[in-house]
Amino acid sequence: MTAQRMIPGAASHLAFLQREDLRTELGERPEIAAEELSPSQWPELSRGEEVWIHEDGWGFDTGRVDEVSKYQEMIWIDLAGRGRRLICGGDPVQIWTRG
């Protein structure tokens, strides 16, 4: 029998990902998330502005803009106390706003 090594913090991260109360049903878009923004529009967002992130296979999640790169199409989203996430313009993720 071989021993498997667990990456530190991996178990708690996996438990977080499995919590149903932190995610919407797959494909469910909140009505208030009215406009999908292209990466070239991200610099128009203000720090603290509420946005929604959509990722295939996960659904929608909400957060607030923390930082936006004006020229490199990168955005940091604060996930309401669950950490920050860096999204790059080429990632298979969409950013939605109130419109």
Side-chain angles (χ1 to χ4, degrees), residues 73-89:
E73 297 182 343
M74 295 186 296
I75 187 169
W76 279 100
I77 305 293
D78 181 352
L79 299 171
R82 300 185 320 260
R84 291 183 348 153
R85 180 172 180 183
L86 174 63
I87 300 171
C88 299

Side-chain angles (χ1 to χ4, degrees), residues 4-77:
Q4 293 184 357
R5 291 181 56 195
M6 181 67 85
I7 298 170
S12 62
H13 182 68
L14 180 60
F16 163 75
L17 292 175
Q18 293 173 338
R19 286 190 50 194
E20 291 296 324
D21 60 321
L22 295 177
R23 55 187 274 191
T24 61
E25 292 297 318
L26 294 179
E28 183 181 319
R29 179 176 58 87
E31 285 185 33
I32 198 166
E35 181 181 356
E36 181 181 351
L37 299 178
S38 68
S40 64
Q41 294 173 295
W42 295 350
E44 299 171 13
L45 295 169
S46 300
R47 187 172 192 175
E49 187 171 341
E50 187 173 26
V51 294
W52 292 266
I53 304 165
H54 180 265
E55 188 169 4
D56 288 341
W58 178 257
F60 279 85
D61 197 1
T62 188
R64 295 197 180 275
V65 174
D66 191 23
E67 294 181 51
V68 180
S69 169
K70 292 184 180 185
Y71 305 107
Q72 298 172 340
E73 297 182 343
M74 295 186 296
I75 187 169
W76 279 100
I77 305 293

